[in-house]
Amino acid sequence: MKQLDTKKIVGLSIFTAIVVVLQLMGSFIHFGMFSISLVLVPIVVGAALYGAAAGAWLGLVFAIIVLISGDAAAFLAVNPLGTILTVVLKGVLSGCAAGLMYRALQEKHKTAAVIASAVICPVVNTGIFLIGCVLFFMEPVSAWAEAMGFGENVVGYMFLGLAGGNFLFELLFNVALSPVIVRLVRLGKMK
C-alpha cells in the first residue's frame, strides 16, 4: 500500500510540473486575444490515472498559473474577484469532471473513458469561462464585441471570438493525445 501511495505522489508531482510548464509555454501561443490551454491533456491523463481529486488538483495548479502568468490580466483589471472565481472554478471543475467521467466509463471501455474525459474537460473549462463572462464581464465583453465588428451580437462574439477557436483546438488536441498518453503510461507500468 505504501509503495502504491509513493507511486501516486510521484506521478502526480510529475503531472503537476508538466501542467506548470505547459501553461507557461502555452501562454505564448494565442488564438485571438487568449492563449490556448495545452495543459488540459495532462489534466485528463492525471485524472484518468489517479482519479477525480487528482484532476481537481491539476486543474487548481492550472488556474493558479493562469492567474499569476498574466493570462487573465484583461479580466483581473475589470473584476478581480470574478476573475479568480471563474479561473479557479473552470480549472478545478474541468479536472474533476474528467476524473469522474473516466471513473464512470472505465469498466465498460478504458479508451472510450479517456476519450469521453478528453471531451468533457474542455467543455467544462470553456463552459465555465463563458458563464463567468456572463456573470462578471458583460460590459467589457460587449465593448470587445463592438470593437471586433460583432455589433450587438455579444453571444456570437463570446462563442466565435472568445471561445470558438480555442475550444476547438483544445478539444481536438485533447481527444487526439490523451488516450495515447494514458495507454503509453499504462504500458510503461506493465514492465
Side-chain angles (χ1 to χ4, degrees), residues 36-49:
I36 295 172
S37 296
L38 301 172
V39 305
L40 297 182
V41 172
I43 291 171
V44 169
V45 173
L49 294 173

PDB file of all heavy atoms in Angstrom, residues 36-49:
ATOM      1  N   ILE A  36      -3.924  29.333 -25.590  1.00  0.00           N
ATOM      2  CA  ILE A  36      -4.524  28.007 -25.693  1.00  0.00           C
ATOM      3  C   ILE A  36      -4.104  27.171 -24.486  1.00  0.00           C
ATOM      4  O   ILE A  36      -2.961  27.220 -24.060  1.00  0.00           O
ATOM      5  CB  ILE A  36      -4.062  27.328 -26.990  1.00  0.00           C
ATOM      6  CG1 ILE A  36      -4.595  28.114 -28.167  1.00  0.00           C
ATOM      7  CG2 ILE A  36      -4.490  25.884 -27.043  1.00  0.00           C
ATOM      8  CD1 ILE A  36      -4.081  27.682 -29.477  1.00  0.00           C
ATOM      9  N   SER A  37      -5.028  26.422 -23.952  1.00  0.00           N
ATOM     10  CA  SER A  37      -4.747  25.592 -22.780  1.00  0.00           C
ATOM     11  C   SER A  37      -4.214  24.233 -23.208  1.00  0.00           C
ATOM     12  O   SER A  37      -4.965  23.279 -23.356  1.00  0.00           O
ATOM     13  CB  SER A  37      -6.012  25.422 -21.937  1.00  0.00           C
ATOM     14  OG  SER A  37      -6.428  26.647 -21.436  1.00  0.00           O
ATOM     15  N   LEU A  38      -2.900  24.157 -23.379  1.00  0.00           N
ATOM     16  CA  LEU A  38      -2.265  22.881 -23.678  1.00  0.00           C
ATOM     17  C   LEU A  38      -2.297  21.957 -22.462  1.00  0.00           C
ATOM     18  O   LEU A  38      -2.132  20.757 -22.587  1.00  0.00           O
ATOM     19  CB  LEU A  38      -0.813  23.102 -24.114  1.00  0.00           C
ATOM     20  CG  LEU A  38      -0.599  23.978 -25.345  1.00  0.00           C
ATOM     21  CD1 LEU A  38       0.892  24.269 -25.527  1.00  0.00           C
ATOM     22  CD2 LEU A  38      -1.174  23.315 -26.576  1.00  0.00           C
ATOM     23  N   VAL A  39      -2.540  22.533 -21.298  1.00  0.00           N
ATOM     24  CA  VAL A  39      -2.484  21.779 -20.048  1.00  0.00           C
ATOM     25  C   VAL A  39      -3.653  20.840 -19.846  1.00  0.00           C
ATOM     26  O   VAL A  39      -3.616  20.014 -18.941  1.00  0.00           O
ATOM     27  CB  VAL A  39      -2.386  22.709 -18.826  1.00  0.00           C
ATOM     28  CG1 VAL A  39      -1.231  23.654 -18.939  1.00  0.00           C
ATOM     29  CG2 VAL A  39      -3.654  23.458 -18.603  1.00  0.00           C
ATOM     30  N   LEU A  40      -4.666  20.940 -20.665  1.00  0.00           N
ATOM     31  CA  LEU A  40      -5.812  20.059 -20.455  1.00  0.00           C
ATOM     32  C   LEU A  40      -5.439  18.591 -20.668  1.00  0.00           C
ATOM     33  O   LEU A  40      -6.016  17.715 -20.033  1.00  0.00           O
ATOM     34  CB  LEU A  40      -6.981  20.474 -21.348  1.00  0.00           C
ATOM     35  CG  LEU A  40      -7.547  21.872 -21.073  1.00  0.00           C
ATOM     36  CD1 LEU A  40      -8.731  22.150 -21.983  1.00  0.00           C
ATOM     37  CD2 LEU A  40      -7.918  22.060 -19.623  1.00  0.00           C
ATOM     38  N   VAL A  41      -4.461  18.320 -21.519  1.00  0.00           N
ATOM     39  CA  VAL A  41      -4.043  16.930 -21.742  1.00  0.00           C
ATOM     40  C   VAL A  41      -3.474  16.310 -20.464  1.00  0.00           C
ATOM     41  O   VAL A  41      -3.950  15.245 -20.043  1.00  0.00           O
ATOM     42  CB  VAL A  41      -3.059  16.812 -22.927  1.00  0.00           C
ATOM     43  CG1 VAL A  41      -2.481  15.410 -23.019  1.00  0.00           C
ATOM     44  CG2 VAL A  41      -3.744  17.193 -24.234  1.00  0.00           C
ATOM     45  N   PRO A  42      -2.481  16.916 -19.796  1.00  0.00           N
ATOM     46  CA  PRO A  42      -2.012  16.273 -18.559  1.00  0.00           C
ATOM     47  C   PRO A  42      -3.062  16.267 -17.448  1.00  0.00           C
ATOM     48  O   PRO A  42      -3.026  15.387 -16.583  1.00  0.00           O
ATOM     49  CB  PRO A  42      -0.779  17.095 -18.158  1.00  0.00           C
ATOM     50  CG  PRO A  42      -0.868  18.355 -18.913  1.00  0.00           C
ATOM     51  CD  PRO A  42      -1.651  18.063 -20.164  1.00  0.00           C
ATOM     52  N   ILE A  43      -3.993  17.207 -17.491  1.00  0.00           N
ATOM     53  CA  ILE A  43      -5.072  17.174 -16.500  1.00  0.00           C
ATOM     54  C   ILE A  43      -5.938  15.943 -16.725  1.00  0.00           C
ATOM     55  O   ILE A  43      -6.263  15.213 -15.791  1.00  0.00           O
ATOM     56  CB  ILE A  43      -5.901  18.475 -16.537  1.00  0.00           C
ATOM     57  CG1 ILE A  43      -5.066  19.649 -16.012  1.00  0.00           C
ATOM     58  CG2 ILE A  43      -7.190  18.331 -15.731  1.00  0.00           C
ATOM     59  CD1 ILE A  43      -5.708  21.016 -16.192  1.00  0.00           C
ATOM     60  N   VAL A  44      -6.304  15.680 -17.972  1.00  0.00           N
ATOM     61  CA  VAL A  44      -7.117  14.495 -18.300  1.00  0.00           C
ATOM     62  C   VAL A  44      -6.346  13.220 -17.984  1.00  0.00           C
ATOM     63  O   VAL A  44      -6.883  12.285 -17.381  1.00  0.00           O
ATOM     64  CB  VAL A  44      -7.561  14.511 -19.780  1.00  0.00           C
ATOM     65  CG1 VAL A  44      -8.152  13.174 -20.189  1.00  0.00           C
ATOM     66  CG2 VAL A  44      -8.552  15.633 -20.019  1.00  0.00           C
ATOM     67  N   VAL A  45      -5.087  13.161 -18.384  1.00  0.00           N
ATOM     68  CA  VAL A  45      -4.283  11.960 -18.142  1.00  0.00           C
ATOM     69  C   VAL A  45      -4.125  11.724 -16.643  1.00  0.00           C
ATOM     70  O   VAL A  45      -4.313  10.603 -16.159  1.00  0.00           O
ATOM     71  CB  VAL A  45      -2.907  12.065 -18.846  1.00  0.00           C
ATOM     72  CG1 VAL A  45      -2.007  10.903 -18.461  1.00  0.00           C
ATOM     73  CG2 VAL A  45      -3.088  12.125 -20.359  1.00  0.00           C
ATOM     74  N   GLY A  46      -3.814  12.776 -15.900  1.00  0.00           N
ATOM     75  CA  GLY A  46      -3.690  12.640 -14.443  1.00  0.00           C
ATOM     76  C   GLY A  46      -4.990  12.210 -13.792  1.00  0.00           C
ATOM     77  O   GLY A  46      -5.002  11.377 -12.887  1.00  0.00           O
ATOM     78  N   ALA A  47      -6.110  12.766 -14.266  1.00  0.00           N
ATOM     79  CA  ALA A  47      -7.422  12.392 -13.726  1.00  0.00           C
ATOM     80  C   ALA A  47      -7.749  10.938 -14.037  1.00  0.00           C
ATOM     81  O   ALA A  47      -8.312  10.231 -13.200  1.00  0.00           O
ATOM     82  CB  ALA A  47      -8.504  13.317 -14.281  1.00  0.00           C
ATOM     83  N   ALA A  48      -7.390  10.472 -15.232  1.00  0.00           N
ATOM     84  CA  ALA A  48      -7.656   9.084 -15.613  1.00  0.00           C
ATOM     85  C   ALA A  48      -6.788   8.119 -14.804  1.00  0.00           C
ATOM     86  O   ALA A  48      -7.255   7.059 -14.385  1.00  0.00           O
ATOM     87  CB  ALA A  48      -7.424   8.887 -17.107  1.00  0.00           C
ATOM     88  N   LEU A  49      -5.550   8.493 -14.578  1.00  0.00           N
ATOM     89  CA  LEU A  49      -4.632   7.600 -13.873  1.00  0.00           C
ATOM     90  C   LEU A  49      -4.811   7.623 -12.350  1.00  0.00           C
ATOM     91  O   LEU A  49      -4.642   6.600 -11.692  1.00  0.00           O
ATOM     92  CB  LEU A  49      -3.182   7.959 -14.208  1.00  0.00           C
ATOM     93  CG  LEU A  49      -2.753   7.735 -15.658  1.00  0.00           C
ATOM     94  CD1 LEU A  49      -1.355   8.293 -15.874  1.00  0.00           C
ATOM     95  CD2 LEU A  49      -2.816   6.264 -16.025  1.00  0.00           C
TER      96      LEU A  49
END
